[in-house]
Amino acid sequence: MQTFLIPVAITLGSQSSMMHLRSELPPKLLPLNISQALEMALEQKELDQEPGAGLDSSLIRSGSSCQNPGCDAVYQSPESDATPCTYHPGAPRFHEGMKSWSCCGIQTLDFGAFLAQPGCRVGRHDWGKQLPASCRHDWHQTDSLVVVTVYGQIPLPAFNWVKASQTELHVHIVFDGNRVFQAQMKLWGVINVEQSSVSLMPSRVEISLVKADPGSWAQLEHPDALAEKAKAGTGLEMDEEESEDSDDDLSWTEEEEEEEAMGE
């Protein structure tokens, strides 16, 4: 009997370790795809923002990121405000696939290279607060794909990021008006991070997560994570009923959906 039991124990332990290693992989940034309709909307809209003159340090939370484009500084203490801020004072420009900042005009086709361009001016950090937005959102799936949709007007590519590991999703979307939608969740199943991506459109953001194994998910989030959120009162219900009933001011209209479809 032992000759049969020992290999089984080893196999189970190995599988458990592999799953544990999967969950420990750090989240990676998902590539952002900007629709032509959004590029046109951004071309027509002035996104210039004057760098902030600083806030009362008592109102700034530790860990706040500088809001000036191109600066990745994080507020740790009042001394953080004394460090130089290297940023882009201009607006992001998107035209016929080319991406650049109006202040320095360095053009590139690659969105990652655009975001990595160092700032061209030195000034003061802007620790200004962003306004939380409770956007309409839902999700749907196929046998091989899960799509999370967040509805809102004019997502700003230069300020948005979505990170994912094989079992977790971290969302930070800034819409026009400095309104930000944030979510963090442990997924029901395992995804292929390398094949997943994000699409930005004038009235919504679609996060496409490729399933590691084909099949149906019972829900978007893992039940243990949902239970923890329910206890904390921060549950993120993502279902079609909520998306139909919500009247958040960032949500789109049927007319806007038709206009976007014609523009893409």
Side-chain angles (χ1 to χ4, degrees), residues 46-236:
E46 284 296 330
L47 299 179
D48 261 336
Q49 296 183 4
E50 291 296 328
L55 296 176
D56 183 347
S57 60
S58 64
L59 301 178
I60 306 173
R61 291 184 179 180
S62 178
S64 298
S65 299
C66 178
Q67 300 302 305
N68 291 333
C71 180
D72 57 1
V74 175
Y75 185 86
Q76 302 293 344
S77 66
E79 286 73 23
S80 300
D81 203 39
T83 61
C85 173
T86 304
Y87 68 100
H88 293 287
R93 303 291 189 188
F94 304 97
H95 181 65
E96 296 182 351
M98 300 301 294
K99 304 160 185 63
S100 66
W101 293 95
S102 62
C103 47
C104 46
I106 302 175
Q107 295 187 335
T108 178
L109 287 170
D110 184 74
F111 189 75
F114 164 71
L115 292 179
Q117 286 182 12
C120 58
R121 181 178 297 181
V122 177
R124 297 191 63 179
H125 295 294
D126 179 5
W127 311 112
K129 292 183 177 179
Q130 294 176 324
L131 304 175
S134 178
C135 309
R136 282 205 299 148
H137 44 268
D138 58 27
W139 74 287
H140 66 274
Q141 65 176 316
T142 64
D143 193 53
S144 59
L145 187 71
V146 168
V147 179
V148 179
T149 304
V150 180
Y151 300 102
Q153 296 300 319
I154 313 296
L156 307 180
F159 303 95
N160 291 348
W161 55 262
V162 177
K163 295 181 181 180
S165 67
Q166 291 175 302
T167 58
E168 293 187 355
L169 183 67
H170 305 258
V171 182
H172 179 93
I173 302 173
V174 180
F175 294 99
D176 186 32
N178 209 31
R179 293 176 288 185
V180 59
F181 173 85
Q182 298 186 84
Q184 180 174 339
M185 63 194 78
K186 184 176 180 181
L187 300 171
W188 173 273
V190 179
I191 65 170
N192 186 320
V193 178
E194 301 299 331
Q195 296 182 17
S196 300
S197 62
V198 182
S199 297
L200 306 182
M201 306 172 196
S203 54
R204 69 185 187 276
V205 174
E206 291 186 351
I207 305 169
S208 300
L209 306 174
V210 176
K211 297 176 181 177
D213 300 303
S216 179
W217 289 10
Q219 54 194 27
L220 179 63
E221 294 192 68
H222 193 280
D224 292 345
L226 288 175
E228 292 178 4
K229 288 184 177 182
K231 287 182 180 179
T234 58
L236 180 62

Side-chain angles (χ1 to χ4, degrees), residues 26-45:
K28 295 178 60 176
L29 283 171
L30 299 185
L32 300 179
N33 302 310
I34 307 170
S35 70
Q36 184 178 5
L38 179 58
E39 288 190 3
M40 294 175 62
L42 291 170
E43 285 179 20
Q44 300 172 8
K45 187 173 183 63

